[in-house]
Amino acid sequence: MTKAMAMPGVAVYILVWVGLVALSAVTQQDEWDIADATFYGDMSGNATMGGDCGYGDLFAQGYGLENTAVSGVLFNDYETCGACFEVRCFNDSLRCAPGSINVTVTSLCPPDPRLPGGGLCQPPRKHFDMSESMYVKIATSFHAGSIPIQFRRVSCVKTGGIKFQIKGNPWWILVLVYNVGGSGDVAALSIKGSGSGSESGIGASWTPMEREWGQNWQITKTPELVGQRLSFQVTTGNGKVVVSDNVAPADWQFGQIFEGAQFLY
Ligand SMILES: *[C@@H]1O[C@H](CO)[C@@H](O)[C@H](O)[C@H]1NC(C)=O
Ligand SMILES: *[C@@H]1O[C@H](CO)[C@@H](O)[C@H](O)[C@H]1NC(C)=O
Ligand SMILES: *[C@@H]1O[C@H](CO)[C@@H](O)[C@H](O)[C@H]1NC(C)=O
């Protein structure tokens, strides 16, 4: 009797859940737009490590070789760092390989003043300068040059929670945010301490951090936060918010990496 009663409830729950997932998956996918693509570095991807988004070892951070630099109009003053794009070559039967790739924005492709017109990344050009191992998946040869592509924003699929690496010093706390699922970018980051041992009131309430460089966010003159448990609130470019409560224990150390909650889609 109780089992029979429970079944419809479960079925409804699953239907609603599937419906929501399908809806959010659709709304996360933009229309295809047009750009061009090249690669930089070699098949090792070493040259693509680091980058203007302020990540670091992209392999250790889970991005791997599936990364790209984008021109300024797409980079949008760091706002696109961490966003994921599906890219496919099009309109060139000689140079296009079939299929698509997904890449994460990890760097800026700047204009090159030595080239006529500022080169391929000069505004308002839309350009992807990706790792070679991604480029050769959509081009027929690494000799194919600048290839015409279609691209669209897609959800970033991540394993595990958002990662917070705490860097800096007591007077300048810097937090690198990576492994962000869903929208992938970070529009705002706030920090909150557990409040223990703080007379100043800093700590116990949410304080917005400032984008220092790429996905490195800073808060200054708050040594009270050392020795407190830390929580983070991440807001992505699509306005979604995820709170990771007490993600760092009271004895957190500079240099450590903590794993928080995650955006689902
Ligand atoms: C890439 O970096 C790794 C680790 O630093 C190194 O072992 C490898 O030789 C480098 N490869 C190239 C082609 O530079
Ligand atoms: C496709 O390529 C042709 C030949 O290069 C070009 O004239 C045309 O504008 C391209 N179409 C699009 C949609 O980019
Ligand atoms: C790229 O991402 C989209 C959206 O998440 C997905 O449908 C597609 O299968 C992915 N493509 C590859 C090559 O992983």
Side-chain angles (χ1 to χ4, degrees), residues 45 51 61 70 85 94 102 116 124 147 166-167 210 221 224 253:
Q61 292 166 340
V70 291
F85 289 94
L94 280 179
N102 288 342
I147 53 171
I166 307 179
K167 305 187 283 188
E210 249 185 333
K221 305 187 190 97
E224 301 88 346
Q253 305 291 316

Side-chain angles (χ1 to χ4, degrees), residues 149-209:
I149 59 161
Q150 286 178 313
F151 69 97
R152 64 177 169 184
R153 186 87 177 257
V154 293
S155 280
C156 301
V157 179
K158 297 295 174 195
T159 306
I162 299 171
K163 300 279 180 63
F164 303 92
Q165 182 174 20
I166 307 179
K167 305 187 283 188
N169 60 58
W171 292 91
W172 176 54
I173 298 174
L174 194 63
V175 177
L176 170 65
V177 187
Y178 64 96
N179 200 52
V180 180
S183 186
D185 53 359
V186 178
L189 180 70
S190 291
I191 189 169
K192 185 163 67 89
S194 46
S196 47
S198 166
E199 305 274 306
S200 63
I202 290 177
S205 59
W206 287 112
T207 309
M209 300 183 79

Side-chain angles (χ1 to χ4, degrees), residues 212-233:
E212 195 266 339
W213 175 53
Q215 289 309 17
N216 291 279
W217 296 73
Q218 67 181 4
I219 183 170
T220 55
K221 305 187 190 97
T222 51
E224 301 88 346
L225 288 170
V226 176
Q228 297 192 27
R229 296 190 305 277
L230 300 180
S231 303
F232 294 104
Q233 177 179 288

Side-chain angles (χ1 to χ4, degrees), residues 36-40 51-53 68-78 81 105-113 115 118-130 146:
D36 295 289
T38 47
F39 67 87
Y40 68 116
D52 296 291
C53 291
T68 189
V70 291
S71 59
V73 289
L74 297 172
F75 194 69
N76 206 11
D77 199 20
Y78 299 106
C81 284
V105 174
T106 57
S107 200
L108 167 70
C109 175
D112 187 342
L115 296 175
L120 296 167
C121 291
Q122 172 77 28
R125 288 197 175 143
K126 292 178 182 171
H127 192 83
F128 284 66
D129 198 16
M130 49 185 72
S146 184

Side-chain angles (χ1 to χ4, degrees), residues 28-39:
Q28 270 289 296
Q29 232 164 43
D30 292 354
E31 296 296 305
W32 292 101
D33 196 354
I34 294 173
D36 295 289
T38 47
F39 67 87

